[in-house]
């Protein structure tokens, strides 16, 4: 796997053979402790900056681990530092994955760089090089801090609402629904800036690789869980609120009879079950739950449950909390 590494804040140290024994550097940070497990492969060196198992040439992380952080920096970067900590723990348990974790997480100094690299590797092909995609993804992520905050909320939302998610780094590396959602955030940014061709290209690659088809014009809130992800289709004028959970094979589409604003509007805290079709410019109220396999053609009131084909209301969820739905 080719790796793009952002290490612009680092500098090359004095070679060790020019130092006396007393001046030799000590490497006590958690990353260097993992180097004994590291097994470089050929593709590790095909990158903007070649990764090297020699600790003297490793890019030093700009940010510290949780136990070394203090104050606002710790609060701001908690998710990223927690991911690095989880990576170290995973490598200690499975040394065979050391190269994968190093190139995916530990070689990077920020969440933006790591996510840009991971998406680029997932979506690249023979005619769309990994470095081209890395420049696109990382450029948008560094420029738009709102996207970065939404990504953190998505990680927290998945961890809190999916019992199968064991850690932030597990979601980051292995949840294709999460990766599809974050790629869409970049595509949506490009769409709004008039770069439609590039946004549609990203949509197409995400659909091919992750089997999740989200039009770059769709507006998606924070704390989104696309559980399993496979078969999810979201149309151009869809609007999705915060803390929404969507299971596999869900379609948020049009009826084929309308133009313009023709797709569903999903309120905060909604749960949409597997195999559901929500069609047309209908509104799903906040806190509503849609049962698996339902076909929704009319508005659903807030804090109600709808099931069936066509969907009908079966109960009202007056005690429903928007942030506690587990799937």
């Amino acid at each position: 796997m080719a790796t793009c590494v952002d290490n612009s804040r680092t500098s090359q140290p004095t070679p060790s053979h020019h130092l006396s024994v007393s001046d030799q550097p000590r490497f006590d940070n958690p990353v260097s402790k993992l180097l004994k497990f590291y097994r470089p492969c050929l593709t590790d060196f095909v990158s903007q900056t070649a990764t090297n198992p020699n600790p003297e040439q490793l890019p030093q992380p700009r940010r510290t681990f949780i136990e070394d952080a203090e104050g606002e920096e710790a609060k701001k970067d908690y998710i990223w530092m927690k991911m690095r900590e989880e990576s170290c723990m995973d490598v200690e348990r499975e040394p065979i994955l050391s190269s994968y974790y190093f190139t995916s997480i530990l070689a990077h100094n920020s969440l933006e760089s790591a996510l840009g690299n991971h998406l680029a590797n997932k979506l690249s092909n023979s005619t769309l090089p990994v470095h081209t995609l890395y420049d696109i993804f990382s450029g948008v992520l560094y420029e738009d801090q709102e996207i970065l905050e939404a990504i953190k909320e998505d990680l927290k939302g998945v961890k809190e609402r999916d019992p199968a998610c064991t850690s932030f780094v597990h979601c980051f590396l292995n949840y294709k629904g999460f990766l599809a959602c974050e790629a869409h955030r970049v595509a949506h940014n490009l769409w709004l800036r008039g770069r439609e061709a590039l946004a549609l290209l990203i949509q197409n690659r995400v659909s091919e690789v992750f089997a999740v088809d989200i039009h770059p014009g769709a507006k998606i809130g924070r704390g989104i869980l696309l559980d399993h992800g496979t078969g999810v289709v979201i149309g151009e004028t869809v609007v999705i609120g915060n803390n929404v959970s969507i299971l596999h094979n869900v379609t948020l589409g049009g009826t084929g009879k309308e133009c313009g604003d023709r797709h569903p509007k999903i309120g905060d805290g909604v749960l949409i079950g597997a195999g559901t079709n929500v069609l047309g410019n209908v509104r799903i109220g906040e806190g509503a739950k849609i049962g698996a396999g339902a076909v929704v053609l009319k508005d659903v009131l807030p804090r109600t449950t709808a099931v069936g084909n066509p969907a009908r209301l079966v109960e009202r969820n007056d005690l429903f909390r928007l942030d506690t739905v587990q799937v």
Side-chain angles (χ1 to χ4, degrees), residues 229-241:
T230 302
V232 170
V233 177
I234 299 176
E236 178 183 5
T237 60
V238 167
V239 178
I240 298 177

Side-chain angles (χ1 to χ4, degrees), residues 47-102:
S47 61
Q48 288 181 337
T49 301
T51 57
N52 191 316
N54 182 351
E56 296 179 6
Q57 298 180 10
L58 285 174
Q60 295 302 309
R62 174 169 58 89
R63 301 171 183 180
T64 59
F65 282 72
I66 295 175
E67 60 268 26
D68 298 324
E70 297 180 358
E72 293 302 318
E73 186 70 10
K75 295 179 182 179
K76 179 180 178 181
D77 287 347
Y78 170 79
I79 297 290
W80 172 240
M81 291 186 291
K82 185 64 175 177
M83 286 173 55
R84 291 176 63 84
E85 182 182 85
E86 292 167 349
S87 298
C88 292
M89 294 172 62
D90 286 351
V91 171
E92 289 178 357
R93 288 191 292 261
E94 289 289 352
I96 196 171
L97 297 178
S98 59
S99 178
Y100 176 61
Y101 274 88
F102 183 83

Side-chain angles (χ1 to χ4, degrees), residues 239-244 265-271 283-290 299-305 315-323 325:
V239 178
I240 298 177
N242 299 322
N243 302 313
V244 172
K265 309 298 180 285
I266 311 299
D268 295 344
V270 169
L271 169 64
R283 295 186 178 276
I284 310 300
E286 68 174 27
K289 294 189 285 187
I290 311 299
D299 292 354
V300 175
L301 297 175
R303 294 172 294 281
T304 57
T305 297
E315 64 177 275
R316 185 172 181 85
N317 312 308
D318 290 312
L319 300 179
F320 185 81
R321 287 183 57 191
L322 300 183
D323 58 349
V325 177

Side-chain angles (χ1 to χ4, degrees), residues 54-324:
N54 182 351
E56 296 179 6
Q57 298 180 10
L58 285 174
Q60 295 302 309
R62 174 169 58 89
R63 301 171 183 180
T64 59
F65 282 72
I66 295 175
E67 60 268 26
D68 298 324
E70 297 180 358
E72 293 302 318
E73 186 70 10
K75 295 179 182 179
K76 179 180 178 181
D77 287 347
Y78 170 79
I79 297 290
W80 172 240
M81 291 186 291
K82 185 64 175 177
M83 286 173 55
R84 291 176 63 84
E85 182 182 85
E86 292 167 349
S87 298
C88 292
M89 294 172 62
D90 286 351
V91 171
E92 289 178 357
R93 288 191 292 261
E94 289 289 352
I96 196 171
L97 297 178
S98 59
S99 178
Y100 176 61
Y101 274 88
F102 183 83
T103 56
S104 299
I105 303 291
L106 297 173
H108 300 273
N109 66 2
S110 67
L111 178 59
E112 302 95 302
S113 175
L115 182 57
N117 171 71
H118 196 46
L119 288 174
N121 277 288
K122 289 286 188 179
L123 301 178
S124 62
N125 60 21
S126 58
T127 59
L128 193 59
V130 61
H131 294 150
T132 299
L133 285 175
Y134 175 79
D135 289 341
I136 295 169
F137 285 120
S138 62
V140 171
L141 293 173
Y142 276 115
E143 290 174 4
D144 194 333
Q145 289 301 301
E146 289 189 7
I147 291 181
L148 184 61
E149 293 305 313
I151 291 168
K152 294 176 182 178
E153 291 299 317
D154 291 344
L155 284 166
K156 289 192 290 186
V158 175
K159 181 69 166 57
E160 292 170 359
R161 302 204 301 275
D162 186 356
C165 183
T166 58
S167 64
F168 292 124
V169 76
H170 171 48
C171 173
F172 180 92
L173 294 176
N174 303 321
Y175 272 46
K176 68 176 186 176
F178 166 78
L179 294 174
C181 184
E182 309 326 320
H184 164 75
R185 295 190 188 282
V186 173
H188 182 65
N189 175 281
L190 296 170
W191 180 266
L192 294 178
R193 291 158 55 184
R195 304 179 69 180
E196 290 92 348
L198 184 53
L200 291 170
L201 174 62
I202 293 174
Q203 176 199 4
N204 175 258
R205 288 299 297 149
V206 169
S207 178
E208 291 176 340
V209 174
F210 299 133
V212 177
D213 195 350
I214 309 176
H215 192 282
K219 300 177 182 178
I220 296 181
R222 299 183 177 189
I224 302 301
L225 167 60
L226 299 183
D227 195 23
H228 303 292
T230 302
V232 170
V233 177
I234 299 176
E236 178 183 5
T237 60
V238 167
V239 178
I240 298 177
N242 299 322
N243 302 313
V244 172
S245 301
I246 300 175
L247 277 74
H248 51 286
N249 290 325
V250 166
T251 297
L252 305 180
T255 61
K257 301 177 182 179
E258 300 174 292
C259 297
D261 190 0
R262 60 197 181 279
H263 295 120
K265 309 298 180 285
I266 311 299
D268 295 344
V270 169
L271 169 64
I272 304 179
T276 294
N277 294 302
V278 185
L279 305 177
N281 189 8
V282 299
R283 295 186 178 276
I284 310 300
E286 68 174 27
K289 294 189 285 187
I290 311 299
V295 177
V296 181
L297 302 174
K298 298 180 180 180
D299 292 354
V300 175
L301 297 175
R303 294 172 294 281
T304 57
T305 297
V307 299
N309 179 10
R312 65 188 186 281
L313 302 183
V314 294
E315 64 177 275
R316 185 172 181 85
N317 312 308
D318 290 312
L319 300 179
F320 185 81
R321 287 183 57 191
L322 300 183
D323 58 349
T324 59

